[in-house]
Amino acid sequence: MAIVIIGAGIGGLSAAIRLAAAGERVIVLEQNGHVGGKMSELALDGFRWDTGPSVITMRGVFEELFAAAGRKFEDYVTLLPLDPLTRYFYPDGAVLDATSDVAQMMQRIEAIAPGDAAGYRDYLAYAARIHRITGPVFIYDQPPTIRRILRTPLRDMPAVDPLRTMDDAIRSFVRSPHLRQMLGRFATYVGGNPFASPATLNVIADVELSGGVWYPRGGVYAIARAFERLARELGVDIVTDARVEGIDVEAGRVTGVRLHNGDRIPAEAIIANVDVATVYERLLPRAVVAPARLRRLVRAEPSCSGFLLLLGIEGEHPGLAHHNIFFSSDYRREFDDIFQRGIPPDEPTVYVSITSKSDPEHAPAGHENWFVMVTAPAYDDRYDWSVNAADYRERVLARLASFGLDVRGQIRVERLLTPLDLERMTGARRGALYGQSSNDRFSALRRPHNRASDVRGLYFAGGTAHPGGGVPMVTLSGKVAAGMVLEDLRP
Ligand SMILES: Cc1cc2nc3c(=O)[nH]c(=O)nc-3n(C[C@H](O)[C@H](O)[C@H](O)COP(=O)(O)OP(=O)(O)OC[C@H]3O[C@@H](n4cnc5c(N)ncnc54)[C@H](O)[C@@H]3O)c2cc1C
């Protein structure tokens, strides 16, 4: 009998590779016609965009996965280091090119935030310390347990900094509003709010500012392609256009899955690379689901979503880098809009990623492929995208125009994606990009574990399970889930 994986997102493929490398027979069932899930791409009229993740960090996670299968990641994907990591534009005209070269970064900081360079260096050391201490408990291994947390030496506990917010901690290191905004932005990498998330999440700054940002030659989707290729080489059976409609459970243990076409596939174990709440709500038999657990999962606060414009732009903009951020003038109000008022920000911070800066063939000569994204709330009835999307598009383009980038007359091709579209395209509940919210200090403890506690033989890999969302994280999630399957089946 095989181990069945439902979903060929990055977490599902990562688990498949681990299990196949360990000699297991693995079948991956994917409802779409292609693999990758939220990591996807679109080509239109000579332009090509990644439609999901654009910022890739933690290259070691991918290298380790391929090494576990006896391969070299670099034989499958060419990762180009990006410098600047990101170009930050501020409403007062200041521009900051972030780099992981600390000495150079300190010089650049002195130019726009005199007196803050040393505070920045101390902040980096603080973030690196959080990474060192929390990594083994919260990121790189099985879900945290109280017992494992208590094993953290007492002297290290304050360094984890769970009681302050991210913003409080940042303020204690640097005075410049420019730097505070830049460092607070890392909360959005897990769909969170820097004014509410625990300071522990400053770990993300270490990952990017010290670890670097990478661009896979050909587009971020090259990672999904590489995972698929390796999985197939290892003998994984990947079936696309195969929607799982139900998981069969007998005497408290999974026995197989049922497909949309009526086929049944028996399974020794099942890893769901599907939103955990959706598994409980739609795939498991009602009789095995405790109503309280389902309620908890369905009502959990989601991380944020996004509003996307994929633009084919005529003309070239030498002043822009591969990744660009155009900051709002009131960051706190922006996050209040998103997380308290449930509306997309009135004055948004706008992110523009242009892969044709690194891969010119992603746009026709003399053109650029802009991926424009604004952080938006996971949708609910407080904001009607079906009515407001066109107006909001105008607001985002006007915001870019206020930075001297009025491209409204240069758009040759366009696709607009709202949180509703993201839910439809990716299955993410309410369009949330990174699973449950990380906005309180217990989020990491509340995140669903990778082994179901109530159904034997059922496991979870992906952004809604430990250790959370983001491409490297879900790759690790697949590792943890596969490890648990092997622990249970072949002790
Ligand atoms: C617009 C956007 C921007 C992002 N930016 C970044 C970024 O810059 N950096 C970063 O690291 N991360 C980013 N992310 C997040 C990142 O893409 C996700 O965390 C990650 O790709 C999720 O992987 P996953 O393993 O959870 O699977 P998913 O991508 O959620 O895939 C799950 C798969 O399961 C399939 N499936 C679901 N139900 C069934 C069923 N019943 N039967 C069969 N198949 C099923 C789906 O079709 C899908 O293919 C972004 C996401 C989006 C959408």
Side-chain angles (χ1 to χ4, degrees), residues 333-347:
R333 180 153 152 241
E334 191 175 342
F335 284 94
D336 283 350
D337 281 348
I338 297 169
F339 287 100
Q340 258 84 54
R341 296 185 197 96
I343 56 171
D346 214 29
E347 187 201 307

Side-chain angles (χ1 to χ4, degrees), residues 314-463:
E314 187 174 340
E316 288 174 301
H317 299 82
L320 297 185
H322 186 123
H323 296 303
N324 309 274
I325 286 285
F326 299 87
F327 272 126
S328 65
S329 56
D330 186 344
Y331 217 29
R332 189 180 282 273
R333 180 153 152 241
E334 191 175 342
F335 284 94
D336 283 350
D337 281 348
I338 297 169
F339 287 100
Q340 258 84 54
R341 296 185 197 96
I343 56 171
D346 214 29
E347 187 201 307
T349 289
V350 183
Y351 165 65
V352 179
S353 175
I354 310 173
T355 64
S356 60
K357 294 276 180 198
S358 306
D359 271 323
E361 63 277 19
H362 286 180
H367 293 69
E368 290 174 342
N369 65 337
W370 287 25
F371 169 100
V372 179
M373 182 163 152
V374 164
T375 302
Y379 78 81
D380 59 23
D381 52 15
R382 288 178 289 177
Y383 192 83
D384 189 348
W385 282 106
S386 62
V387 173
N388 294 315
D391 283 352
Y392 200 69
R393 164 196 182 273
E394 196 47 40
R395 185 179 292 264
V396 172
L397 294 177
R399 187 72 204 140
L400 286 173
S402 75
F403 284 88
L405 277 174
D406 192 348
V407 293
R408 285 172 285 199
Q410 296 165 245
I411 299 171
R412 298 295 162 253
V413 193
E414 172 169 4
R415 268 295 160 85
L416 177 158
L417 300 173
T418 71
L420 294 172
D421 298 311
L422 293 176
E423 180 179 64
R424 184 179 43 76
M425 290 163 57
T426 72
R429 297 172 78 87
R430 297 172 55 192
L433 303 184
Y434 302 93
Q436 289 183 13
S437 148
S438 303
N439 285 347
D440 78 66
R441 65 179 71 104
F442 301 111
S443 320
L445 296 172
R446 269 203 292 267
R447 189 168 288 124
H449 281 204
N450 309 80
R451 182 191 274 118
S453 55
D454 40 8
V455 180
R456 276 176 292 129
L458 177 62
Y459 306 82
F460 302 104

Side-chain angles (χ1 to χ4, degrees), residues 137-324:
V137 185
F138 289 102
I139 303 177
Y140 297 103
D141 207 336
Q142 298 202 354
T145 56
I146 295 296
R147 193 184 311 163
R148 280 184 42 232
I149 291 171
L150 291 178
R151 253 190 260 141
T152 307
L154 217 53
R155 64 173 188 285
D156 284 344
M157 286 289 189
V160 176
D161 208 0
L163 300 181
R164 292 190 291 179
T165 65
M166 251 182 113
D167 181 64
D168 286 339
I170 291 166
R171 279 170 182 275
S172 71
F173 286 98
V174 292
R175 282 193 314 272
S176 141
H178 293 83
L179 270 190
R180 287 175 176 175
Q181 202 167 10
M182 183 199 95
L183 298 173
R185 176 180 164 260
F186 289 115
T188 64
Y189 280 36
V190 290
N193 174 356
F195 303 99
S197 301
T200 317
L201 286 191
N202 283 305
V203 65
I204 303 168
D206 176 60
V207 165
E208 172 156 330
L209 293 170
S210 302
V213 173
W214 308 90
Y215 172 69
R217 164 85 64 216
V220 171
Y221 193 70
I223 293 182
R225 260 194 228 106
F227 278 29
E228 177 183 19
R229 183 179 138 205
L230 174 55
R232 289 194 194 276
E233 283 171 6
L234 296 170
V236 175
D237 191 3
I238 300 176
V239 189
T240 51
D241 298 306
R243 191 174 69 251
V244 171
E245 303 245 296
I247 295 174
D248 291 334
V249 178
E250 280 169 34
R253 172 165 200 94
V254 299
T255 57
V257 294
R258 275 168 290 112
L259 291 179
H260 66 289
N261 59 6
D263 284 358
R264 184 178 184 283
I265 299 178
E268 196 178 4
I270 295 173
I271 298 180
N273 178 214
V274 182
D275 193 310
V276 176
T278 304
V279 173
Y280 279 83
E281 194 177 44
R282 302 208 199 122
L283 297 186
L284 282 171
R286 271 286 134 126
V288 306
V289 176
R293 177 159 167 81
L294 178 59
R295 253 196 319 275
R296 241 190 345 268
L297 285 167
V298 170
R299 288 186 188 164
E301 190 198 1
S303 58
C304 65
S305 184
F307 173 79
L308 271 64
L309 297 174
L310 307 174
L311 305 177
I313 300 278
E314 187 174 340
E316 288 174 301
H317 299 82
L320 297 185
H322 186 123
H323 296 303
N324 309 274

Side-chain angles (χ1 to χ4, degrees), residues 7 9 11 29-32 37-38 52-55 244 273 433-434 462-463 470-471:
L29 302 168
E30 167 56 51
Q31 64 185 3
N32 290 333
K38 295 184 182 75
S54 55
V55 178
V244 171
N273 178 214
L433 303 184
Y434 302 93
V471 179

